[in-house]
């Protein structure tokens, strides 16, 4: 997901360049097998969120002395926001009187790239405020979002080889920046902010 302002804003009360990506991945696998002998199949569930969310303002490219963006008093924002959640559940049940039981494997991964950027040589002037924000699962409303992996494996009888393996990874790459040679000459507050909430839970159980 990309939002990009490339050019000049000669006069505006405020400016908003915002990119928001909401990515939810859910995977669930269930296997039930029964028999007197033989090998059980594995139960695998994989949920991956690997999105790209960028919001960018670049140099207008003109050789004139005018600013790239002239603002007249409002609250302006350049914001990239990722909202992501991955849930993987693998549940395997094997009942038999001999042989091998396949295991349960659950993998949940949340690894977005989030960028809020004012590029090189961009000139802002005028009045008002400016926020440059890169956010991932930020705020109370997104506090439940995470990478969650759950693997359950159970077997009955003389079964060998069953097991459960759960792996979760939550590692967002989040950055907010103002490039080389840029100038922000506004009368109000200027904030450059990156905020990321990375939560991961893994649970495996076998009987």
């Amino acid at each position: 997901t990309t939002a990009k302002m490339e050019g000049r804003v000669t006069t505006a009360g405020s400016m908003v360049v915002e990119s928001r990506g909401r990515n939810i991945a859910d995977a669930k696998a269930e296997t039930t097998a029964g028999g007197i002998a033989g090998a059980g199949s594995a139960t695998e569930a994989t949920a991956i969120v690997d999105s790209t969310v960028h919001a960018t303002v670049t140099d207008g490219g003109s050789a004139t002395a005018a600013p790239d963006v002239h603002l007249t008093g409002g609250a302006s924002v350049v914001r990239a926001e990722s909202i992501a959640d991955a849930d993987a559940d693998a549940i395997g049940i094997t009942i038999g009187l001999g042989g091998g039981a396949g295991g349960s494997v659950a993998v949940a991964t949340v690894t977005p790239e989030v960028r809020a950027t004012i590029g090189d040589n961009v000139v802002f002037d005028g009045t008002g405020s400016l926020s440059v924000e890169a956010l991932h699962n930020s705020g109370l409303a997104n506090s439940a979002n995470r990478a969650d992996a759950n693997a359950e494996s159970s077997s009955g009888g003389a079964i060998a080889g069953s097991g459960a393996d759960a792996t979760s990874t939550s590692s967002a790459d989040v950055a907010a920046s103002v490039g080389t040679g840029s100038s922000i000459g506004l009368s109000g507050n200027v904030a450059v902010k990156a905020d990321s909430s990375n939560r991961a839970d893994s649970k495996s159980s076998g009987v």
Side-chain angles (χ1 to χ4, degrees):
T1 305
T2 300
K4 185 175 184 180
M5 199 286 286
E6 184 176 16
R8 291 187 178 274
V9 178
T10 54
T11 301
S14 63
M15 179 187 73
V16 176
V17 180
E18 183 172 22
S19 177
R20 172 181 282 194
R22 182 179 180 87
N23 296 280
I24 308 298
D26 289 309
K28 186 173 183 178
E30 295 184 359
T31 301
T32 303
I36 296 176
S41 59
T43 304
E44 299 180 0
T46 301
I48 298 174
V49 174
D50 188 26
S51 54
T52 299
V53 185
H54 288 182
T56 307
V57 176
T58 62
D59 180 14
S62 173
T64 69
D68 296 291
V69 181
H70 177 70
L71 301 175
T72 59
S76 297
V77 63
V78 178
R79 179 186 295 122
E81 182 176 13
S82 163
I83 300 169
D85 184 85
D87 292 298
D89 293 285
I91 301 172
I93 301 173
T94 305
I95 302 174
L97 298 177
S104 297
V105 179
V107 178
T109 303
V110 176
T111 53
E113 179 183 276
V114 188
R115 297 284 187 271
T117 307
I118 294 176
D120 295 344
N121 304 311
V122 179
V123 178
F124 283 76
D125 78 355
T127 58
S129 63
L130 174 65
S131 295
V132 182
E133 302 176 354
L135 310 172
H136 169 67
N137 283 344
S138 180
L140 183 61
N142 299 309
S143 61
N145 293 333
R146 65 192 65 219
D148 194 353
N150 178 49
E152 298 179 12
S153 178
S154 62
S155 59
I159 301 297
S162 63
D165 184 14
T167 302
S168 61
T169 302
S170 183
S171 181
D173 183 2
V174 181
S177 63
V178 177
T180 302
S182 291
S183 173
I184 302 176
L186 298 174
S187 62
N189 294 329
V190 175
V192 180
K193 172 185 177 182
D195 183 44
S196 179
S197 176
N198 294 289
R199 297 180 176 88
D201 290 324
S202 299
K203 182 180 180 181
S204 60
S205 60
V207 179

